[in-house]
Amino acid sequence: MSSLSPDLNPSQRAAVEHGDSPLVVIAGAGTGKTRTLVHRVAHLLDGGIVPERILLLTFTRRASAEMLRRLETTLQQAGREFSQTRRIWGGTFHAIGTRLLRVYGRMLGFEPGFTVLDRSDAEDLLDLVRTEQGLPKSHKRFPRKGTCLAIYSAVVNSRRSLHAVLVEDFPWCRDFEDELKKLFSGFVDRKEDAQAVDYDDLLLFWHALLEDEELGQRVRERFDCVLVDEYQDTNRLQAEILQRLAPTGKGLTVVGDDAQSIYSFRAATVRNILDFAETFPGTTTVKLEENYRSSPGILQLTNQVISEASEGIAKVLWSARSDEKKPRLVHCEDEEEQAQYLIDRVLEHREQGLLLKEQAVLFRTSHHSSLLETELSRRNIPFVKYGGLKFIEAAHVKDLIAFLRLVENPRDLVAGCRVLTLLPGIGPQRSRRLMDAVLRHAGQYDVWNRSVAPADAQQRLQELAQLLTRLRQNEDLPVSAQLSQLRTFYQPLLEEKYDKVEPRVRELEQLESLAGRYTDRTAMITEFALDPPASSEDLAGEPHLDEDYLILSTIHSAKGLEWKVVYTIHAADGNIPSDMSTKNVAQIDEERRLFYVALTRAKDWLYVCCPHRYYHHHRGPKMDQHGYAQLTRFLSQPALAKMEISTVQPAHPHRPDQPHAGQWSQSIRQRVKSMWDD
């Protein structure tokens, strides 16, 4: 083993070389979690475990790809066989669920070509059912499609009743419990009719697979070892899947940090990692506490902040570095002063040799950076903000993907209605009738040749039917060639429907080029649903930008990343913690963990800024009305003792040649008094 892992620290080595009893690795921020997990997989392979009998579950597809790449490098450097890593089952819960359903789907009533709906497509299908049931016409304000899907997902993933979810998480929707039950039942039926599954179904059907006595045993027999990354971010349904996949915990390893559990809005629960040892008796717990990222001064602060949570697994992160520089708390008069101070510090660090992209500004909510973005633009400082509109969410991209989905699955109602309403004169009701006709005729598009459509749409409808039929019959045609034919048909519609056509066309050309990486339509459609690219740059690989840029990011989007300098802004109660997340101890604890995640992204310098005056906005420009905020409750007196505290000085301090403030006061008062003299 020494040749595989020559420089692991004792805690990492204990985790890597552990046997097959259940293991939980509590990996503090910056303690080499990924490295430890990669070397544990290498250790298993070196011990004779067959690669295809290893299941590696990660939070993102990119994390899975990175781990397998690093595993291959580790084995190669140690002189071991490394090509076997490609046979490991690696991916997210949803990706593995999809793969298992492709294998066992027929036994559950699925055709192999079922469609995976992304979140927005699931919302659209739910909205279609919502409209069919007449729910928007209720005498009360019925929840919109996004809220309805959020309620549905919360019920599925948290394993709570609809009533409990409404009472605890969506109290303003409690009056619609009966209507929501009917809506969700119709939603399930519609997905079955369309041979479509959403993200929640992928977990539900995997869970159902494991509940079946015969199928469950067949799935369990596939794997000797199951390893889970970011276990603190799993939900109750995912935890139940693991319990059924490894009932005794044999071969089960989970890695995570309870102090970084920040996704309860996705139904994730910190209880999964806190209660792991209780769920699997005989569990060994290994803590990784040596931090390789942050300076000791930063760790002293972050240790104090997280130690004040109401519950958690005790750990103290430490570093062998000698830098004792303290994090800085900066009191600002208002947001403008905060922005000016921050930009001055960013440029100062840049002059000292740090790139802009080695610095990041973190905030609780996306709109917290609005004023800063304006000022950065005014001063011509380039920046990139994490968390904008994703590439796959752009209307023209979703249009072209909908064409491809309709070729793959004629029962895909959402894709069909989206494509058909692009044709002039065809609206939502007519598009549903046209799709219903296809369903009644066993997926044959030529039924549209006999359908009545507006004159300006009839020819295009027939051309579309011929194109879909031809591509569906020609399975051997490369995906890029199929997408090229679909784009040729779609481009005139694009030019009629959207402005700024040229950049949209370039992105569709990129999409067509990307299609060459996929062996079939199913692979491309599924990957785009489960792990969509965030921007068009993602499609072209790593961007090669000559220009430097500052990073702006919500704290949630920053998780797993690190920078030399971190500025955490709006550290005032009501922002951190959010005033919407303080109704109970559990919510406040998660807000504390979110603040902790922000602080632990910093390697060398950490600034925490707190504006004390906030002007009110009422859907328009800033008003004169304002209120005062208090410093975040997460910076207690013991925490403040570990910080350097400063206050931003006014931009125009008192000049010696000006009258003293006391002299001004005396002069003015004398003038007021003279008003009453005879």
Side-chain angles (χ1 to χ4, degrees), residues 38-54:
V38 165
H39 280 79
R40 176 149 179 76
V41 177
H43 176 68
L44 294 171
L45 292 171
D46 209 43
I49 300 295
V50 179
E52 52 264 37
R53 299 188 64 80
I54 296 175

Side-chain angles (χ1 to χ4, degrees), residues 149-265:
L149 187 63
I151 295 170
Y152 178 90
S153 293
V155 172
V156 170
N157 290 293
S158 69
R159 313 297 278 166
R160 292 176 291 162
S161 67
L162 174 59
H163 180 75
V165 167
L166 291 177
V167 170
E168 296 168 18
D169 300 338
F170 299 88
W172 62 93
C173 302
R174 283 181 295 183
D175 293 343
F176 297 104
E177 183 172 345
D178 291 337
E179 291 90 339
L180 286 169
K181 287 180 179 178
K182 180 183 176 185
L183 172 63
F184 295 155
S185 179
F187 181 47
V188 171
D189 290 340
R190 271 296 191 178
K191 286 187 289 185
E192 183 176 359
D193 292 342
Q195 279 290 293
V197 296
D198 59 20
Y199 291 165
D200 303 319
D201 293 330
L202 294 172
L203 300 183
L204 277 174
F205 283 104
W206 185 1
H207 187 277
L209 260 178
L210 295 169
E211 281 188 318
D212 183 90
E213 184 175 347
E214 179 185 349
L215 293 178
Q217 189 59 30
R218 289 169 65 175
V219 174
R220 280 187 286 274
E221 288 174 351
R222 277 184 171 270
F223 307 112
D224 293 325
C225 301
V226 179
L227 303 98
V228 187
D229 188 24
E230 304 283 13
Y231 190 61
Q232 79 280 350
D233 294 329
T234 54
N235 59 47
R236 186 62 206 157
L237 179 56
Q238 291 167 324
E240 289 183 10
I241 287 172
L242 285 181
Q243 290 170 35
R244 284 159 177 73
L245 197 58
T248 66
K250 182 180 180 181
L252 179 60
T253 298
V254 301
V255 181
D257 181 9
D258 60 293
Q260 298 185 69
S261 178
I262 59 174
Y263 290 105
S264 65
F265 65 92

Side-chain angles (χ1 to χ4, degrees), residues 251-519:
L252 179 60
T253 298
V254 301
V255 181
D257 181 9
D258 60 293
Q260 298 185 69
S261 178
I262 59 174
Y263 290 105
S264 65
F265 65 92
R266 295 179 183 167
T269 171
V270 70
R271 301 271 19 131
N272 285 349
I273 195 165
L274 292 179
D275 300 339
F276 184 84
E278 184 179 324
T279 304
F280 296 96
T283 290
T284 297
T285 300
V286 175
K287 298 179 185 178
L288 305 184
E289 296 174 294
E290 182 176 0
N291 180 283
Y292 298 96
R293 174 188 299 157
S294 303
S295 69
I298 293 173
L299 294 178
Q300 289 174 21
L301 172 63
T302 56
N303 284 333
Q304 181 63 45
V305 167
I306 202 62
S307 71
E308 296 173 14
S310 66
E311 65 176 343
I313 299 171
K315 53 188 169 299
V316 178
L317 302 188
W318 60 277
S319 172
R321 292 172 56 179
S322 58
D323 183 6
E324 294 292 341
K325 179 167 59 268
K326 286 185 175 183
R328 180 179 296 180
L329 170 64
V330 182
H331 292 284
C332 308
E333 174 67 18
D334 52 26
E335 291 181 80
E336 285 89 346
E337 195 168 79
Q338 175 181 252
Q340 293 297 336
Y341 174 84
L342 190 149
I343 292 173
D344 288 345
R345 298 290 78 71
V346 166
L347 295 177
E348 182 181 293
H349 281 294
R350 182 174 177 271
E351 288 302 311
Q352 294 169 353
L354 287 181
L355 295 173
L356 291 177
K357 66 179 67 175
E358 294 176 313
Q359 307 180 58
V361 183
L362 306 184
F363 33 86
R364 172 65 177 83
T365 305
S366 184
H367 69 79
H368 285 171
S369 67
S370 298
L371 188 145
L372 175 61
E373 292 174 46
T374 300
E375 188 61 19
L376 287 168
S377 299
R378 188 184 71 81
R379 294 177 64 169
N380 199 29
I381 299 173
F383 64 89
V384 170
K385 184 174 181 180
Y386 289 2
L389 179 70
K390 290 186 176 181
F391 172 77
I392 195 63
E393 293 170 353
H396 54 289
V397 176
K398 287 191 71 67
D399 287 347
L400 192 55
I401 292 295
F403 277 97
L404 194 64
R405 282 172 44 191
L406 195 54
V407 174
E408 180 71 8
N409 180 7
R411 301 169 71 176
D412 190 335
L413 184 64
V414 173
C417 288
R418 186 180 189 100
V419 165
L420 290 168
T421 52
L422 291 170
L423 304 183
I426 295 182
Q429 292 186 357
R430 191 184 297 272
S431 68
R432 284 198 290 275
R433 290 198 296 269
L434 289 169
M435 285 303 298
D436 287 342
V438 172
L439 296 181
R440 289 195 304 270
H441 289 78
Q444 300 301 311
Y445 296 113
D446 57 9
V447 68
W448 290 344
N449 295 329
R450 302 185 296 276
S451 300
V452 178
D456 51 353
Q458 190 65 53
Q459 182 177 350
R460 284 179 169 176
L461 184 61
Q462 293 178 2
E463 292 173 355
L464 176 61
Q466 294 170 5
L467 174 60
L468 295 174
T469 300
R470 184 169 65 252
L471 293 179
R472 185 161 175 77
Q473 292 173 346
N474 194 351
E475 293 286 344
D476 296 332
L477 190 66
V479 184
S480 58
Q482 296 182 46
L483 213 57
S484 176
Q485 293 186 35
L486 292 170
R487 184 171 66 83
T488 300
F489 176 85
Y490 169 59
Q491 187 157 328
L493 301 173
L494 167 72
E495 293 170 353
E496 294 170 12
K497 186 176 179 65
Y498 301 112
D499 58 2
K500 298 180 180 178
V501 171
E502 289 187 10
R504 295 178 190 270
V505 170
R506 286 198 299 271
E507 288 193 325
L508 296 183
E509 290 171 348
Q510 267 188 314
L511 191 62
E512 183 183 320
S513 176
L514 176 71
R517 305 180 190 178
Y518 298 94
T519 56

Side-chain angles (χ1 to χ4, degrees), residues 123-137:
E123 285 184 7
D124 289 344
L125 183 58
L126 188 59
D127 195 44
L128 187 148
V129 179
R130 178 175 172 269
T131 302
E132 289 177 341
Q133 295 182 356
L135 295 176
K137 298 178 182 178

Side-chain angles (χ1 to χ4, degrees), residues 591-636:
E591 290 291 302
R592 180 184 293 277
R593 295 193 295 266
L594 190 62
F595 186 51
Y596 173 81
V597 166
L599 303 183
T600 54
R601 301 308 94 198
K603 299 165 83 170
D604 301 322
W605 287 273
L606 173 61
Y607 299 85
V608 180
C609 297
C610 176
H612 291 286
R613 186 200 304 263
Y614 283 93
Y615 289 93
H616 299 321
H617 297 256
H618 293 286
R619 297 186 179 181
K622 182 178 71 177
M623 304 179 68
D624 287 339
Q625 295 177 344
H626 64 271
Y628 283 100
Q630 295 182 350
L631 178 66
T632 174
R633 68 189 73 181
F634 301 142
L635 290 178
S636 62

